[in-house]
Amino acid sequence: MLSEEEREELKAELVQLEDEITTLRQVLSAKERHLVEIKQKLGMNLMNELKQNFSRSWHDMQTSTAYKKTHETLSHAGQKATAAFSNVGTAISKKFGDMRSHSISYSIRHSISMPAMRNSPTFKSFEERVETTVTSLKEALTKVGGANHGGGSFEEVLSSTAHASAQSSGGGPRRAEEEELQC
């Protein structure tokens, strides 16, 4: 173990270290007070420091590669969604235009009642397209959200939705309607 002399030396060293630590704490405390005084004179306070730290962190995050990639991906997805909604709007406008052009042939006295209009081929076709579009968008959002891991990216879903919309507007119910009108 330790001799009596070594023990005394270690105790003296311990006392000296404790004194140095106390002195350093006092010096540090005095410097912290001086720092606060200088900041007050400069008009700096905790709120300003937090704002600066937040701004710096926000800037650092925006310049990170991960943020840039995420921003680009979401921007691209937003453009695709906008295009899909535009297609839906075009289809709706077209259907309303078709319904309006067909209803012009009727006089006001002979206008279609609401139940009869709901059963008309034009309204049914319009209703089917809206339902198909809503279903497709729900599926797209589910795939983008990650709830469905069945495969397929957001772009693929939007592309297939646009393709299906283009095919369905190429003929089908509308031609049958036109044939009925001609008869």
Side-chain angles (χ1 to χ4, degrees):
M1 299 274 199
L2 295 175
S3 68
E4 193 62 36
E5 190 177 309
E6 291 173 334
R7 254 175 128 54
E8 291 300 319
E9 284 179 24
L10 287 176
K11 283 183 179 182
E13 188 177 345
L14 180 64
V15 168
Q16 183 183 0
L17 283 173
E18 288 175 343
D19 287 343
E20 287 177 6
I21 290 172
T22 303
T23 303
L24 289 173
R25 282 186 180 147
Q26 290 171 349
V27 169
L28 179 63
S29 177
K31 288 192 181 265
E32 286 176 338
R33 281 192 300 274
H34 186 64
L35 175 75
V36 169
E37 290 171 5
I38 291 173
K39 284 184 176 182
Q40 285 176 345
K41 287 178 183 177
L42 292 174
M44 297 171 68
N45 59 23
L46 181 61
M47 187 57 112
N48 288 340
E49 286 185 51
L50 289 174
K51 286 179 186 178
Q52 288 175 349
N53 288 341
F54 179 75
S55 295
R56 196 174 315 119
S57 298
W58 180 251
H59 175 70
D60 292 346
M61 185 194 68
Q62 284 182 319
T63 57
S64 72
T65 305
Y67 177 85
K68 288 178 182 177
K69 286 181 180 178
T70 303
H71 179 70
E72 288 172 10
T73 302
L74 290 176
S75 177
H76 188 66
Q79 290 170 357
K80 293 287 187 176
T82 300
F85 285 125
S86 176
N87 288 340
V88 170
T90 302
I92 290 171
S93 297
K94 188 176 180 182
K95 276 301 174 185
F96 277 137
D98 290 349
M99 290 172 68
R100 198 167 128 193
S101 68
H102 292 307
S103 66
I104 291 174
S105 63
Y106 298 105
S107 68
I108 295 175
R109 284 177 278 139
H110 297 94
S111 63
I112 301 176
S113 67
M114 187 56 133
M117 187 169 61
R118 282 193 141 172
N119 292 325
S120 72
T122 301
F123 190 86
K124 290 217 180 266
S125 173
F126 169 72
E127 191 175 40
E128 288 171 7
R129 283 192 185 179
V130 169
E131 286 175 2
T132 302
T133 303
V134 168
T135 302
S136 298
L137 286 173
K138 283 182 181 178
E139 289 172 2
L141 290 173
T142 301
K143 287 183 181 181
V144 168
N148 183 359
H149 300 291
S153 68
F154 185 62
E155 290 86 13
E156 292 169 344
V157 172
L158 286 176
S159 176
S160 66
T161 303
H163 183 67
S165 176
Q167 283 183 343
S168 66
S169 66
R174 186 165 181 203
R175 285 198 182 138
E177 232 177 82
E178 291 172 357
E179 289 172 6
E180 284 178 18
L181 289 175
Q182 290 174 356
C183 292

Short mmCIF file of all heavy atoms in Angstrom, two decimals, residues 2-3 14 20 29 44 53 85 89 93 95 111 116-117 124 133 135 139 142 145 159 172-173 177:
data_model
loop_
_atom_site.label_atom_id
_atom_site.label_comp_id
_atom_site.label_asym_id
_atom_site.label_seq_id
_atom_site.Cartn_x
_atom_site.Cartn_y
_atom_site.Cartn_z
N LEU A 2 0.33 2.35 0.49
CA LEU A 2 1.06 3.61 0.48
C LEU A 2 1.73 3.86 1.83
O LEU A 2 1.18 3.56 2.89
CB LEU A 2 0.10 4.77 0.19
CG LEU A 2 -0.56 4.80 -1.17
CD1 LEU A 2 -1.57 5.94 -1.22
CD2 LEU A 2 0.46 4.95 -2.27
N SER A 3 2.89 4.47 1.73
CA SER A 3 3.57 4.82 2.97
C SER A 3 2.93 6.09 3.52
O SER A 3 2.21 6.80 2.80
CB SER A 3 5.07 5.02 2.72
OG SER A 3 5.27 6.17 1.93
N LEU A 14 -4.03 16.89 -3.39
CA LEU A 14 -5.50 16.96 -3.47
C LEU A 14 -5.99 18.32 -3.04
O LEU A 14 -6.84 18.93 -3.71
CB LEU A 14 -6.12 15.84 -2.61
CG LEU A 14 -7.63 15.75 -2.58
CD1 LEU A 14 -8.18 15.41 -3.96
CD2 LEU A 14 -8.08 14.72 -1.58
N GLU A 20 -7.13 25.02 -6.80
CA GLU A 20 -7.03 25.45 -8.19
C GLU A 20 -8.41 25.40 -8.88
O GLU A 20 -8.77 26.32 -9.62
CB GLU A 20 -6.03 24.58 -8.97
CG GLU A 20 -4.59 24.85 -8.60
CD GLU A 20 -3.62 23.92 -9.32
OE1 GLU A 20 -4.06 23.12 -10.20
OE2 GLU A 20 -2.43 23.97 -9.02
N SER A 29 -16.64 32.19 -13.53
CA SER A 29 -17.84 32.92 -13.15
C SER A 29 -17.68 34.42 -13.44
O SER A 29 -18.60 35.06 -13.96
CB SER A 29 -18.14 32.69 -11.66
OG SER A 29 -19.26 33.42 -11.26
N MET A 44 -27.49 42.35 -27.24
CA MET A 44 -27.72 40.92 -27.51
C MET A 44 -28.38 40.29 -26.27
O MET A 44 -28.02 40.60 -25.15
CB MET A 44 -26.40 40.22 -27.80
CG MET A 44 -25.69 40.75 -29.05
SD MET A 44 -24.02 40.10 -29.25
CE MET A 44 -24.34 38.40 -29.58
N ASN A 53 -29.05 31.16 -33.91
CA ASN A 53 -28.78 29.72 -33.98
C ASN A 53 -29.78 29.01 -34.87
O ASN A 53 -29.42 28.14 -35.67
CB ASN A 53 -28.79 29.09 -32.58
CG ASN A 53 -27.58 29.48 -31.77
OD1 ASN A 53 -26.56 29.91 -32.31
ND2 ASN A 53 -27.68 29.34 -30.46
N PHE A 85 -54.40 16.65 -61.51
CA PHE A 85 -55.57 17.45 -61.18
C PHE A 85 -56.02 18.27 -62.39
O PHE A 85 -57.21 18.49 -62.60
CB PHE A 85 -55.30 18.37 -59.98
CG PHE A 85 -55.29 17.63 -58.67
CD1 PHE A 85 -54.20 17.73 -57.82
CD2 PHE A 85 -56.36 16.85 -58.28
CE1 PHE A 85 -54.19 17.05 -56.61
CE2 PHE A 85 -56.35 16.17 -57.08
CZ PHE A 85 -55.26 16.27 -56.25
N GLY A 89 -59.61 18.26 -64.04
CA GLY A 89 -60.36 19.50 -64.32
C GLY A 89 -60.78 19.58 -65.77
O GLY A 89 -61.90 20.00 -66.08
N SER A 93 -64.58 19.75 -67.03
CA SER A 93 -65.03 20.85 -67.90
C SER A 93 -65.62 20.30 -69.19
O SER A 93 -66.65 20.78 -69.67
CB SER A 93 -63.86 21.77 -68.23
OG SER A 93 -63.38 22.38 -67.08
N LYS A 95 -66.97 17.37 -69.68
CA LYS A 95 -68.26 16.72 -69.41
C LYS A 95 -69.35 17.76 -69.19
O LYS A 95 -70.46 17.61 -69.68
CB LYS A 95 -68.17 15.79 -68.19
CG LYS A 95 -67.65 14.44 -68.54
CD LYS A 95 -68.57 13.81 -69.56
CE LYS A 95 -68.02 12.51 -70.06
NZ LYS A 95 -68.82 11.92 -71.12
N SER A 111 -86.86 20.96 -69.93
CA SER A 111 -85.57 20.62 -69.33
C SER A 111 -85.66 19.31 -68.55
O SER A 111 -86.74 18.90 -68.11
CB SER A 111 -85.10 21.74 -68.40
OG SER A 111 -86.00 21.87 -67.34
N ALA A 116 -83.90 12.32 -63.77
CA ALA A 116 -83.70 11.88 -65.15
C ALA A 116 -82.29 12.21 -65.60
O ALA A 116 -81.65 11.43 -66.29
CB ALA A 116 -84.73 12.54 -66.07
N MET A 117 -81.79 13.38 -65.19
CA MET A 117 -80.43 13.76 -65.57
C MET A 117 -79.41 12.82 -64.93
O MET A 117 -78.44 12.43 -65.57
CB MET A 117 -80.15 15.20 -65.14
CG MET A 117 -78.82 15.71 -65.65
SD MET A 117 -78.55 17.46 -65.44
CE MET A 117 -78.64 17.65 -63.70
N LYS A 124 -73.80 9.57 -66.03
CA LYS A 124 -73.21 8.32 -65.54
C LYS A 124 -71.75 8.23 -65.97
O LYS A 124 -70.89 7.83 -65.19
CB LYS A 124 -74.00 7.13 -66.05
CG LYS A 124 -75.37 7.03 -65.40
CD LYS A 124 -75.70 5.59 -65.16
CE LYS A 124 -77.05 5.47 -64.52
NZ LYS A 124 -76.97 5.40 -63.10
N THR A 133 -60.98 8.58 -61.16
CA THR A 133 -59.91 9.52 -60.85
C THR A 133 -59.67 9.58 -59.35
O THR A 133 -58.52 9.55 -58.89
CB THR A 133 -60.25 10.92 -61.39
OG1 THR A 133 -60.47 10.82 -62.80
CG2 THR A 133 -59.13 11.91 -61.12
N THR A 135 -60.34 7.29 -57.11
CA THR A 135 -59.73 6.02 -56.70
C THR A 135 -58.25 6.00 -57.06
O THR A 135 -57.41 5.60 -56.25
CB THR A 135 -60.46 4.84 -57.37
OG1 THR A 135 -61.84 4.90 -57.00
CG2 THR A 135 -59.88 3.51 -56.93
N GLU A 139 -55.07 5.74 -54.49
CA GLU A 139 -54.03 4.72 -54.61
C GLU A 139 -52.66 5.36 -54.72
O GLU A 139 -51.70 4.91 -54.11
CB GLU A 139 -54.29 3.85 -55.84
CG GLU A 139 -55.49 2.93 -55.69
CD GLU A 139 -55.85 2.21 -56.99
OE1 GLU A 139 -55.15 2.40 -58.00
OE2 GLU A 139 -56.82 1.45 -56.97
N THR A 142 -51.60 6.61 -51.36
CA THR A 142 -51.25 5.49 -50.50
C THR A 142 -49.85 5.00 -50.83
O THR A 142 -49.05 4.75 -49.94
CB THR A 142 -52.27 4.34 -50.67
OG1 THR A 142 -53.56 4.83 -50.34
CG2 THR A 142 -51.92 3.17 -49.78
N GLY A 145 -47.31 7.57 -49.68
CA GLY A 145 -47.21 7.57 -48.23
C GLY A 145 -46.51 6.36 -47.67
O GLY A 145 -46.10 6.33 -46.54
N SER A 159 -48.68 8.27 -64.10
CA SER A 159 -48.59 7.99 -65.53
C SER A 159 -49.69 7.02 -65.96
O SER A 159 -50.35 7.22 -66.98
CB SER A 159 -47.21 7.40 -65.85
OG SER A 159 -47.14 7.03 -67.20
N GLY A 172 -65.76 5.22 -76.24
CA GLY A 172 -66.54 4.55 -75.22
C GLY A 172 -67.91 5.14 -75.03
O GLY A 172 -68.68 5.26 -75.97
N PRO A 173 -68.25 5.57 -73.81
CA PRO A 173 -69.59 6.03 -73.48
C PRO A 173 -70.04 7.22 -74.31
O PRO A 173 -71.20 7.36 -74.63
CB PRO A 173 -69.49 6.42 -72.01
CG PRO A 173 -68.27 5.77 -71.50
CD PRO A 173 -67.37 5.55 -72.67
N GLU A 177 -73.42 7.67 -76.64
CA GLU A 177 -74.32 8.79 -76.42
C GLU A 177 -74.66 9.48 -77.73
O GLU A 177 -75.80 9.80 -78.03
CB GLU A 177 -73.59 9.80 -75.53
CG GLU A 177 -74.35 10.22 -74.33
CD GLU A 177 -73.47 11.16 -73.54
OE1 GLU A 177 -73.43 12.35 -73.89
OE2 GLU A 177 -72.85 10.69 -72.57
#
